[in-house]
């Protein structure tokens, strides 16, 4: 696999990039901090043995998208997979108190993520196809009190990925939409840990299998598939009462 | 308490020298996964792999090879730390060596460790050659440990600390080394599945009777004579890690750990006196671990000194404080000391009596953190820091 990963400096992206490097995939890292990208690249190089390229790409700066993917294609000598784990999270209370932060979150998690995916889609299709794997969230499944804004952005992203998959699968572009449940990473550091919380390594194992198989939707950890099935079935008046 | 589990990247590795540099949250578990198959192991072999480089420095951990290779700190070549006022400092045995020595075993109180550079050890294969032997009592146990020391890199023993009289301190001695390539299976050891203790056991499960039965079964299951053969490295190095949430066995009140070292200069009798006190007080510990320690290292608050270390689990009961006090008084009288990484009950005056090195360490700590920014629940209890 020749894969570019946006968001591998931390969390699930880091764990996924490690798994890919360890099994011998060629990896290029996209992210916003050069020093941090270099540290992550060294980590993958020791674990995997092969050189790891880096390129600056910031979801808040759409002008970085095309040059970053271009640089990744050069470093990898091709490109057949793009992974996006980058994203922004903030608690609903904070977002309500800070409209500027809310606007940024909607921009990063929806508009700019979609713009980045569009750039990746064009490049993959120009090469005859490939896999685009993007991390959305179980927060996009229902409108819920603690994740009104974040959930809305992720819901939009999920729908976009679904449409993309329907539209371009026949042309060779496989879209994998990952819906993590609660996973212990820097994003959730400090939050109380609910039942069925997962670890990035377990998520990475499951997601890599989905990428290999081209599975369009994957819940991780697996238990969240059943949990979300139940939550989707809950009538509206129940959702209005519960706190989660 | 400090910790860095989210910072777990390898920053550099030189296979010619075994030199590794990594963020402090890099775990021993990950280290084993990445490096055993490449012919390198950690320089020390503690009883669990679910610890980080930062924690290994902060407690200056020791392992089954302490009698030969000392503590982790002996193999650390450089540290990058954030000290009390927020500045970043690099220290090593040559540079800012006071800070370096005070950080080894300093329980995170001298600064937040960000990066650790250390030397890994080359190994011929990732499998272990193990020998185990049943030993009838404490005196013979210490002799057997001291005799195995010069020939075996890894030694340790499990002792039954409920049996009294002639069987006082009976148990099983383990000796091990990395298997030579010709002896070892050709494929690398596969990661092992770990069953979990599913729920907190009721408090009565760990009683004197059940522990006595378990310890006795464990002892008698081992035939007399020596058992030897190739084993999985995890089963030799981390027998306790095999069961997740093993602490749940001890019931809702949980347990505390206690570990002390009794100097060789106090004679073999010291370990016997310790066990006599423990058994007379009936502190129902499952098997406890006995270990031969080598010389004291550079760490200013590092635990080991030349002697015999004994580590136990003590289920929490109403009299736990008085049991720990009694054990500590004996340890002080024998010239030994306790391991801070396992301690939850020691009184400040007892700790001071065990640690003539404390004033020197405190001076260095104050130099680097004059405002006393870095504190822990333990430093409040034992060192009198403000809460
Ligand atoms: C089953 C079991 C077996 C064990 N066997 C052994 C053994 O054989 N030999 C031995 O020596 N020890 C042993 N220990 C103790 C263990 O090795 C130490 O407690 C070690 O410090 C734990 O490391 P950790 O990374 O989990 O750190 P934590 O448990 O999170 O923290 C331990 C201490 O290290 C400090 N610390 C952690 N990370 C940092 C950092 N980045 N910067 C500054 N300070 C930091 C904390 O403040 C704290 O004081 C054992 C423990 C268990 C549970
Ligand atoms: N953790 C969970 O429980 C959970 C649950 C559901 C969904 N998710 C989703 O899963 C994905 C991964 O989450 P995680 O927990 O692994 O997160 P994480 O540990 O916080 O890592 C996020 C990654 O995204 C990068 N990033 C953030 N903003 C960026 C930007 N503007 N430009 C470029 N990169 C940026 C970060 O880079 P820096 O290192 O530069 O900060 C980091 O590498 C996210 O999309 C998240 O919304 C997570």
């Amino acid at each position: 696999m020749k894969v570019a990963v946006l968001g591998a400096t931390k969390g699930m992206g880091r764990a996924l990039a490690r798994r890919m490097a360890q099994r011998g995939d060629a990896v290029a890292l996209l992210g916003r901090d050069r020093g941090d990208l270099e540290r992550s690249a060294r980590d993958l190089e020791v674990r995997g043995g092969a050189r790891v390229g880096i390129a600056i790409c910031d979801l808040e700066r759409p002008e970085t998208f095309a040059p970053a993917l271009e640089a990744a294609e050069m470093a990898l000598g091709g490109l057949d997979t793009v992974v996006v784990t980058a994203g922004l999270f903030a608690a609903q209370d904070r977002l309500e108190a800070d409209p500027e932060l809310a606007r940024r979150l909607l921009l990063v998690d929806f508009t700019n993520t979609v713009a980045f995916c569009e750039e990746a889609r064009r490049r993959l299709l120009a090469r005859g196809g490939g896999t685009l794997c993007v991390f959305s969230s179980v927060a996009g499944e229902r409108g819920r009190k603690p994740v009104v804004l974040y959930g809305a952005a992720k819901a939009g992203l999920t729908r976009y990925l679904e449409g993309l998959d329907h539209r371009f699968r026949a042309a060779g572009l496989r879209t994998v939409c990952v819906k993590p449940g609660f996973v212990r990473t820097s994003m959730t550091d400090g939050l109380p840990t609910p039942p069925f919380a997962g670890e990035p390594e377990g998520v990475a194992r499951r997601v890599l299998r989905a990428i290999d198989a081209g599975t369009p939707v994957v819940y991780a950890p697996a238990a969240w598939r059943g949990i979300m099935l139940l939550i989707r079935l809950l009538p509206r008046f129940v959702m209005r009462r519960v706190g989660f | 308490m400090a910790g860095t589990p989210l910072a777990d990247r390898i920053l550099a590795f030189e296979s010619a020298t075994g030199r590794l540099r990594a963020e402090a949250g890099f775990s021993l578990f990950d280290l084993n996964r990445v490096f055993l198959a490449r012919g390198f192991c950690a320089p020390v072999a503690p009883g669990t792999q679910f610890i980080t480089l930062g924690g290994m420095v902060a407690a200056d951990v020791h392992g089954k090879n302490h009698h030969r290779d000392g503590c982790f700190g002996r193999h650390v070549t450089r540290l990058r730390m954030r000290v009390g006022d927020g500045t970043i400092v690099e220290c090593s045995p040559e540079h800012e060596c006071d800070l370096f020595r005070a950080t080894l075993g300093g329980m995170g109180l001298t600064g937040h460790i960000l990066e650790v550079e250390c030397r890994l050890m080359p190994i011929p294969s990732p499998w272990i050659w193990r020998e185990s032997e049943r030993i009838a009592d404490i005196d013979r146990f210490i002799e057997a440990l001291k005799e195995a020391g010069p020939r075996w890199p890894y030694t340790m023993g499990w002792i039954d600390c409920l049996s009294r009289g002639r069987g006082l301190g009976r148990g099983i001695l383990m000796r091990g080394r990395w298997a030579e390539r010709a002896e070892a299976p050709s494929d690398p050891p596969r990661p092992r599945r770990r069953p979990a203790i599913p729920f907190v056991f009721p408090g009565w499960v760990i009683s004197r009777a059940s522990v006595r039965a378990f310890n006795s079964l464990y002892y008698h299951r081992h035939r007399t004579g020596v058992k030897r053969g190739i084993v999985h490295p995890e089963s030799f190095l981390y027998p306790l890690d095999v069961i997740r949430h093993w602490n749940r066995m001890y019931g809702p009140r949980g347990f505390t750990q206690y570990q002390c070292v009794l100097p060789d200069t106090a004679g073999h009798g010291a370990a016997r006196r310790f066990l006599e006190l423990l058994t007379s007080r009936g502190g129902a510990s499952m098997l406890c671990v006995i270990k031969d320690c080598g010389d004291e290292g550079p760490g200013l608050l590092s635990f080991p000194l030349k002697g015999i270390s004994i580590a136990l689990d003590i289920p929490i009961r109403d009299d736990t404080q008085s049991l720990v006090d009694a054990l500590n008084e004996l340890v002080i009288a024998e010239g030994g000391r306790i391991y801070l990484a396992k301690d939850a009950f020691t009184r400040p005056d007892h700790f001071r009596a065990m640690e003539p090195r404390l004033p020197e360490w405190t001076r260095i700590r104050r130099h680097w953190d004059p405002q006393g920014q870095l504190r822990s629940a333990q430093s409040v209890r034992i060192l009198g820091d403000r809460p």
Side-chain angles (χ1 to χ4, degrees):
Chain A
M1 230 159 69
K2 294 182 173 182
V3 54
V5 189
L6 173 58
T9 46
K10 296 198 183 99
M12 292 182 263
R14 180 189 287 184
L16 184 57
R18 280 179 181 164
R19 263 197 115 71
M20 295 191 293
Q22 261 150 10
R23 70 175 198 180
D25 294 332
V27 180
L29 303 183
L30 311 188
R32 51 188 170 173
D33 183 308
R34 181 170 298 279
D36 211 29
L37 284 170
E38 264 160 12
R39 290 163 81 87
S40 286
R42 297 295 91 76
D43 179 62
L44 297 180
E45 283 167 358
V46 173
R47 288 161 190 268
R51 256 205 59 65
V52 171
I54 61 169
I56 295 293
C57 181
D58 184 343
L59 276 180
E60 301 199 47
R61 295 194 295 138
E63 70 278 9
T64 60
F65 300 170
L69 284 165
E70 179 77 37
E73 290 188 82
M74 296 280 286
L76 297 168
L79 182 69
D80 55 40
T81 306
V82 175
V83 176
V84 184
T85 63
L88 181 60
F89 176 81
Q92 179 63 19
D93 292 341
R94 257 191 79 201
L95 292 168
E96 283 168 11
D98 183 350
E100 174 51 29
L101 180 63
R103 203 188 56 79
R104 253 182 74 207
L105 182 136
L106 294 173
L107 194 65
V108 166
D109 286 347
F110 180 69
T111 311
N112 287 356
T113 299
V114 169
F116 178 85
C117 290
E118 285 294 288
E119 185 63 38
R121 165 186 72 77
R122 277 192 286 278
R123 287 171 185 269
L124 289 170
L125 283 170
R127 293 183 170 273
T131 305
L132 176 62
C133 170
V134 184
F135 279 52
S136 183
S137 173
V138 296
E141 306 275 274
R142 284 298 296 266
R144 295 191 288 116
K145 290 174 186 170
V147 286
V148 176
L149 288 157
Y150 173 78
K154 291 293 193 184
L157 182 60
T158 299
R159 282 299 158 266
Y160 162 73
L161 294 168
E162 184 183 357
L164 206 61
D165 193 48
H166 294 157
R167 187 163 166 88
F168 293 110
R169 188 159 282 245
L173 181 71
R174 309 193 298 181
T175 305
V176 176
C177 172
V178 182
K179 297 180 184 174
F182 189 100
V183 181
R184 270 184 286 258
T185 67
S186 52
M187 191 172 276
T188 52
D189 197 27
L191 299 178
T193 306
F196 305 107
E199 299 294 334
E201 292 71 31
V203 171
R205 196 177 324 123
R206 205 169 148 76
V207 170
L208 193 52
R209 240 184 283 131
I211 291 177
D212 289 340
T215 315
V217 176
V218 53
Y219 290 87
W224 287 84
R225 187 196 178 105
I227 298 171
M228 291 324 292
L229 181 68
L230 283 179
I231 290 187
R232 280 200 308 275
L233 289 174
L234 288 181
R236 225 183 143 94
F237 75 89
V238 176
M239 287 305 288
R240 184 165 295 151
R241 296 238 172 122
V242 295
F244 58 79
Chain B
M1 219 170 78
T4 36
L6 296 169
D8 67 349
R9 286 175 290 193
I10 302 170
L11 301 173
F13 180 68
E14 269 173 32
S15 47
T17 59
R19 190 172 298 224
L20 170 75
R21 186 172 179 106
E23 293 175 332
F26 184 60
S27 70
L28 182 55
F29 176 82
D30 222 11
L31 189 156
N32 288 330
R33 286 290 149 89
V34 176
F35 292 106
L36 285 187
R38 294 188 200 182
F40 288 94
C41 72
V44 295
T48 175
Q49 58 180 335
F50 298 113
I51 56 178
T52 63
L53 291 182
M56 290 170 74
V57 171
D60 200 11
V61 299
H62 62 281
K64 298 165 194 57
N65 56 341
H66 189 271
H67 59 281
R68 197 188 67 173
D69 302 311
C71 286
F72 185 55
R74 199 157 113 188
H75 310 272
V76 172
T77 46
R78 214 169 169 65
L79 296 174
R80 186 178 177 81
M81 331 191 13
R82 185 184 295 115
V83 293
D85 66 3
T87 49
I88 307 270
V89 182
E90 295 252 347
C91 62
S92 71
E94 297 81 34
H95 181 73
E96 301 292 10
C97 52
D98 271 3
L99 177 63
F100 184 79
R101 292 178 60 214
T103 300
L104 303 179
M107 297 309 284
L109 295 168
T110 54
H112 195 176
I113 301 156
L114 304 174
E115 291 173 19
V116 176
E117 188 182 278
C118 64
R119 277 184 304 265
L120 303 187
M121 275 187 193
I123 51 175
S125 86
W127 293 86
I128 293 277
W129 173 268
R130 175 183 68 186
E131 291 192 4
S132 62
E133 187 178 356
R134 211 165 92 179
I135 309 282
D137 67 39
I138 186 63
D139 297 321
R140 259 174 271 182
F141 218 119
I142 293 175
E143 271 160 34
L145 275 172
K146 295 287 178 196
E147 191 187 294
R151 289 181 300 123
W152 292 85
Y154 298 135
T155 62
M156 58 88 87
W158 294 96
I159 53 183
D160 170 0
C161 44
L162 281 183
S163 88
R164 303 170 72 162
R166 284 199 314 138
L168 184 81
R170 67 180 183 182
I172 316 273
L173 172 73
M174 318 268 184
R175 305 178 279 250
R177 59 172 169 78
W178 294 98
E180 292 305 324
R181 202 171 308 173
E183 304 167 315
S186 52
D187 42 337
R190 296 182 59 81
R192 307 209 316 167
R193 283 179 59 88
R194 304 189 303 131
I197 302 278
F199 52 84
V200 177
F201 286 6
W204 49 261
V205 172
I206 301 282
S207 66
R208 269 179 79 84
S210 65
V211 172
R212 186 180 298 275
F214 175 84
N215 286 4
S216 182
L217 186 74
Y218 192 85
Y219 178 76
H220 288 291
R221 236 189 47 179
H222 196 290
R223 60 180 157 77
T224 49
V226 179
K227 279 208 301 198
R228 42 175 71 90
I230 300 284
V231 296
H232 194 288
E234 289 179 10
S235 80
F236 178 76
L237 295 173
Y238 316 112
L240 279 177
D241 286 352
V242 170
I243 298 175
R244 278 181 296 148
H245 307 309
W246 55 288
N247 47 320
R248 291 182 181 167
M249 275 187 338
Y250 286 96
R253 290 185 76 181
F255 69 104
T256 182
Q257 292 188 308
Y258 183 88
Q259 183 169 1
C260 65
V261 57
L262 301 164
D264 283 347
T265 49
H268 285 189
R272 171 170 285 277
R273 289 189 286 277
F274 182 89
L275 290 177
E276 274 164 358
L277 175 62
L278 182 70
T279 52
S280 75
R281 297 284 306 242
S285 178
M286 300 283 271
L287 301 162
C288 73
V289 175
I290 181 167
K291 176 69 209 95
D292 176 23
C293 290
D295 290 325
E296 186 173 290
L300 267 181
L301 276 194
S302 296
F303 158 69
L305 51 74
K306 185 134 191 63
I308 291 289
S309 132
I310 300 177
L312 355 147
D313 291 349
I314 301 177
I316 306 272
R317 306 238 200 283
D318 295 332
D319 67 346
T320 302
Q321 180 68 54
S322 79
L323 173 63
V324 171
D325 289 345
L327 295 175
N328 279 342
E329 274 153 25
L330 182 141
V331 169
I332 292 166
E334 304 288 358
R337 60 191 181 222
I338 55 133
Y339 189 18
L340 282 181
K342 304 222 167 159
D343 177 65
F345 284 88
T346 291
R347 296 179 189 279
D349 46 323
H350 283 161
F351 186 67
R352 274 197 303 275
M354 291 169 190
E355 273 302 350
R357 302 171 299 174
L358 189 58
E360 165 78 344
W361 180 83
T362 307
R363 182 184 63 74
I364 300 171
R365 179 185 180 209
R366 283 285 159 263
H367 174 78
W368 288 95
D369 183 13
Q371 316 292 343
Q373 305 271 26
L374 302 168
R375 302 181 300 277
S376 65
Q378 189 178 56
S379 79
V380 170
R381 171 171 51 90
I382 292 190
L383 305 174
D385 286 356
R386 72 190 140 84

